[in-house]
């Protein structure tokens, strides 16, 4: 038997956090030097800056907090940290792209979404597995729907594949909407809802907050797309980027916070039993 497995684990986690800090601090310093060009009135640039810092902070927070929750929540906490960690990495580039060019970092943005959205679907699966209703078929369908949604958005925003001629922006948007609506239907429909009623209070909390994030938090994205792609008069690329940055904060940071809150609640409840 291990003489002190707890101490060992704690050392590993703290070591990981330190390694992350060691990678981060020099590159953050280098970026500060490059971005002296951020102007006081560049609100879009400022929103990129805030999002970058928040993504890094929450990543470290989730990794450190992971050691304080019950074993069954640890994977969920890791996934939450992966989502914000991948986003932090891309934000350092997106921020720079905006400050240097004043244009949308569309490609970085979509690469980030293509990695982080499936991870969030995996997070959903983990919670559904906890209430015993996760099925591989459903997981696969949600995955496919999310990829259809994102690939359609990419073609619509970049104009990389204008098969619908002049209406390409709108039709790709509509295809993206169909993917999202399918996801909403899957996670709100009856059988899952019934099963969720049987789950513990904390699992129900995690499940419900995730559903509302997908319904309300995700709705911000198609709105941003419309603003930045001439579908709503009077708005432009800058507005779209502020909206996307805000949406990422809600959907990645707050999403992880919900998981952390549920995990902490559940761990405390189990300890007092
Ligand atoms: C962390 C990043 C997340 C959660 C990104 C989510 C992105 C969406 C929900 C995007 C949705 C879109 C539509 C529903 C239609 C138009 C195209 C998109 C891709 C902007």
């Amino acid at each position: 038997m291990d003489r002190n497995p707890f101490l060992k684990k704690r050392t590993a986690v703290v070591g990981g956090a330190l390694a992350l800090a060691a990678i981060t601090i020099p590159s953050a310093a280098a970026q500060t030097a490059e971005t002296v060009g951020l102007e006081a009135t560049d609100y879009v640039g400022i929103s990129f800056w805030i999002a970058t810092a928040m993504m890094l902070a929450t990543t470290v927070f989730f990794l450190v907090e992971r050691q304080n929750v019950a074993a069954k929540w640890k994977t969920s906490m890791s996934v939450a940290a992966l989502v914000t960690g991948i986003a932090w990495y891309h934000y350092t580039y997106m921020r720079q792209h905006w400050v240097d060019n004043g244009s949308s970092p569309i490609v970085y943005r979509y690469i980030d979404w293509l990695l982080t959205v499936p991870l969030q679907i995996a997070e959903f699966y983990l919670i559904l597995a906890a209430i015993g209703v996760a099925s591989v078929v459903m997981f696969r369908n949600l995955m496919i729907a999310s990829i259809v949604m994102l690939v359609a958005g990419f073609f619509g925003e970049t104009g990389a594949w204008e098969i619908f001629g002049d209406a390409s922006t709108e039709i790709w948007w509509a295809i993206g909407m169909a993917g999202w609506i399918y996801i909403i239907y899957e996670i709100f429909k009856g059988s899952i809802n019934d099963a969720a009623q049987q789950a513990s209070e904390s699992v129900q909390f995690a499940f419900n907050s995730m559903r509302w994030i997908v319904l309300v938090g995700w709705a911000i994205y198609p709105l941003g797309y419309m603003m930045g792609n001439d579908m709503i008069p009077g708005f432009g690329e800058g507005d779209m980027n502020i909206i996307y940055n805000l949406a990422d904060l809600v959907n990645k940071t707050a999403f992880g916070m919900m998981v952390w809150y549920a995990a902490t609640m559940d761990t405390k409840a189990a300890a007092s039993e």
Side-chain angles (χ1 to χ4, degrees), residues 46-187:
I46 292 169
S47 77
F48 271 111
W49 196 281
I50 292 171
T52 310
M54 291 285 289
M55 293 298 174
L56 176 61
T58 44
T59 304
V60 174
F61 179 77
F62 296 145
L63 287 177
V64 172
E65 286 299 308
R66 185 184 183 279
Q67 68 189 308
N68 299 325
V69 301
K72 64 175 175 185
W73 289 97
K74 287 190 193 293
T75 311
S76 298
M77 293 291 291
S78 302
V79 175
L82 284 178
V83 168
T84 51
I86 291 172
W88 166 73
Y89 175 74
H90 288 109
Y91 263 96
T92 60
Y93 288 88
M94 294 200 288
R95 183 187 68 184
Q96 201 61 42
H97 180 100
W98 175 267
V99 170
D100 291 346
N101 309 308
S103 66
S104 299
I106 304 178
V107 182
Y108 295 125
R109 175 99 64 194
Y110 274 86
I111 293 174
D112 177 76
W113 290 355
L114 207 58
L115 296 170
T116 52
V117 171
L119 277 170
Q120 295 196 303
I121 301 277
E123 191 83 296
F124 236 109
Y125 180 80
L126 288 172
I127 301 290
L128 289 175
I131 58 178
V133 289
S135 86
V136 175
V137 175
M138 182 188 167
F139 180 62
R140 187 202 61 195
N141 291 349
L142 289 180
M143 230 15 136
I144 293 173
S146 70
I147 290 166
V148 167
M149 174 182 88
L150 295 174
V151 170
F154 180 80
F155 286 139
E157 285 205 57
T158 57
W161 196 21
E162 297 197 305
I163 44 168
F164 306 115
D166 287 345
S168 285
T169 308
E170 288 78 12
I171 292 177
W172 282 125
W173 178 86
I175 294 171
M177 288 296 286
W180 174 50
I181 290 166
Y182 173 80
I183 296 171
I184 292 170
Y185 166 76
E186 276 286 344
I187 60 181

